[in-house]
């Protein structure tokens, strides 16, 4: 790509400089000859501090959002007010805009993105398509799986993933599309065909500050769909899917009213005759054309909502109802999502990723529906993240659990005891008393062991917050820690 082509792509004034580049990066360590280096002023460091190093390594130019700079170390400096958007757009262009040859499905919302994406992929693969899945559990392509560094990768990596999906003959890509990625423009240059909204509850206010800003970030996916994919010939599916039960549903419907499929109570795709138990859920799936019985292996009413979202996506994409049903029924579990740990014991242990008050409510309600004895919850809250949800999570635990054990999640650079005090406020406001109604055990390992030693026949222990994660971040150090491994070891010790 020439610098002239770059300015045309970004719709910025032409440069009085020449040069070609064939790669783009915001990581100075990845710069090579004929790279474009993008200087991001981030929370921990400023890429401009590494710009001269990037030029020395062969960067033909530097792009950033600091006004008044003409050049760095003799190389042109290109001003662009949203540098992360530039990375996404340019990376997609360098990759040949691979999304144009794929059906790309973006799923956004506070909770349920991971399970919905897994269900969509299962249905599509079960139907005979080849679908890649990009999200929290990893970047899963037909020939490779990569651990996820972020729910939605940054632009450079995302373009590479889509290009590889195309090379590996994928027909579809389903991806979790986070509010951060949408607001920062990481997904710029991707031509989405389908956008789905699961729900909106409090999370990430450390970044977005208000619920309105958080909602608006998620709406960007729908606005982009409406703007870029008006296809009067109908050659490619282009529509949105919205949870009709969410209080903000109308905002998302209004963002693309011409092509919206709603799901849930009052929606176009819904569940009737629902029953839930420890094995999962049974219901009648109702679509605008027909109905069919479904036996879902995922536990909880919230997973029925995820199944409805996936069904609505696939219904709109033209998948026959019988294939949707068989695909839903073929997914037996999602790692770290209401995942049962251990067998042969008189009580149940379940691990879930719930890390918001709404997510914890859903998980506890699902657990309560299948728990004949006491419901014990082990959970904490992440450090350096939205503090406002901490007492709310404590209040949910007080309301729905019989006993709670507060413990560390990923404390990061915050003092764990400070985080736990914030959570305690929510329990105390509900007239719960330390020692009688809940314990505080800072060590997550000791907290899980304590819960298992406390359980009696018929009880259920819900270990919430980390789900599939196999690490714990303490300070700036990532240490191996897997709730499932710890629970299994504690169960084994109990049996010996």
């Amino acid at each position: 790509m020439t610098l002239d082509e770059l300015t045309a792509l970004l719709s910025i004034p032409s440069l009085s400089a020449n040069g070609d580049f064939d790669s783009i990066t915001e990581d100075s360590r990845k710069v090579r000859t004929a790279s474009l280096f993008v200087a991001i002023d981030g929370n921990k460091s400023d890429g401009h501090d590494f710009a001269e190093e990037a030029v020395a390594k062969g960067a033909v130019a530097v792009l950033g959002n600091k006004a008044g700079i003409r050049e760095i170390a003799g190389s042109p400096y290109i001003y662009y007010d949203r540098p992360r958007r530039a990375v996404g757009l340019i990376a997609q262009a360098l990759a040949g805009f691979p999304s144009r040859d794929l059906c790309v499905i973006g799923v956004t919302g506070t909770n349920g993105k991971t399970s919905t994406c897994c269900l969509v992929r299962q249905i599509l693969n079960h139907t005979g398509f080849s679908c890649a899945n990009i999200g929290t559990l990893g970047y899963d392509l037909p020939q490779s799986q990569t651990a996820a560094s972020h729910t939605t990768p940054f632009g450079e990596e995302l373009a590479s993933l889509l290009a590889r999906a195309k090379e590996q003959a994928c027909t579809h890509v389903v991806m979790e599309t986070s509010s951060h990625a949408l607001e920062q423009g990481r997904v710029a240059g991707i031509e989405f065909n389908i956008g789905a909204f699961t729900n909106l509850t409090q999370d990430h206010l450390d970044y977005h500050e208000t619920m309105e800003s958080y909602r608006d970030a998620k709406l960007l996916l729908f606005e982009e769909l409406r703007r870029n994919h008006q296809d009067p010939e109908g050659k490619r599916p282009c529509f949105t899917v919205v949870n009709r039960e969410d209080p903000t549903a109308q905002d998302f419907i209004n963002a693309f009213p011409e092509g919206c499929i709603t799901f849930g109570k009052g929606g176009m795709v819904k569940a009737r005759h629902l029953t839930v138990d420890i094995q999962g859920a049974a219901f009648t799936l109702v679509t605008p054309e027909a109905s069919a019985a479904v036996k879902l292996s995922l536990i909880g009413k919230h997973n029925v909502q995820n199944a409805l979202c996936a069904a609505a996506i696939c219904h709109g994409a033209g998948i026959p109802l019988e294939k949707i049903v068989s695909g839903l029924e073929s997914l037996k579990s999602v790692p770290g999502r209401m995942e049962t740990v251990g067998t042969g014991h008189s009580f149940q242990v379940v691990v879930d990723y719930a890390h918001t008050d709404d997510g914890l409510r859903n998980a506890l309600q699902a657990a309560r529906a299948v728990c004949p004895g006491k419901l014990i919850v082990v959970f904490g809250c992440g450090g350096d993240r939205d503090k406002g949800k901490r007492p709310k999570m404590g209040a949910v635990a007080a309301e729905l659990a019989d006993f709670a054990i507060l413990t560390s999640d990923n404390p990061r650079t915050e003092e764990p005891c400070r985080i736990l005090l914030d959570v305690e406020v929510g329990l105390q406001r509900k007239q719960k008393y330390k020692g009688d109604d809940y314990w505080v055990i800072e060590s997550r390992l000791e907290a899980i062991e304590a819960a298992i030693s406390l359980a009696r026949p018929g009880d259920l222990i819900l270990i919430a917050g980390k789900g599939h994660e196999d690490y714990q971040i303490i300070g700036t150090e990532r240490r191996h820690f897997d709730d499932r491994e710890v629970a299994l070891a504690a169960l084994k010790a109990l049996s010996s």
Side-chain angles (χ1 to χ4, degrees), residues 253-269:
I253 294 169
N254 291 343
F256 195 169
E258 301 92 343
C260 182
I261 299 172
T262 56
F263 69 92
K265 187 176 180 181
M268 299 158 66
V269 175

Side-chain angles (χ1 to χ4, degrees), residues 402-429:
D402 295 301
F403 195 82
I405 300 179
L406 312 188
T407 190
S408 291
D409 190 286
N410 290 320
R412 299 184 178 88
T413 62
E414 280 195 72
E415 287 293 331
C417 59
R418 177 68 260 177
I419 299 171
L420 294 172
L421 284 171
D422 289 342
V423 180
E424 271 194 271
V425 169
L427 287 112
Q428 291 167 352
R429 286 174 179 166

Side-chain angles (χ1 to χ4, degrees), residues 212-229:
E212 290 75 19
S213 295
Y214 183 33
R215 176 206 60 199
D216 290 348
K218 293 191 175 297
L219 279 167
L220 290 171
L221 174 62
F222 284 34
E223 292 165 3
E224 192 72 14
L225 266 165
R226 188 180 189 187
R227 183 164 50 248
N228 291 340
H229 275 290

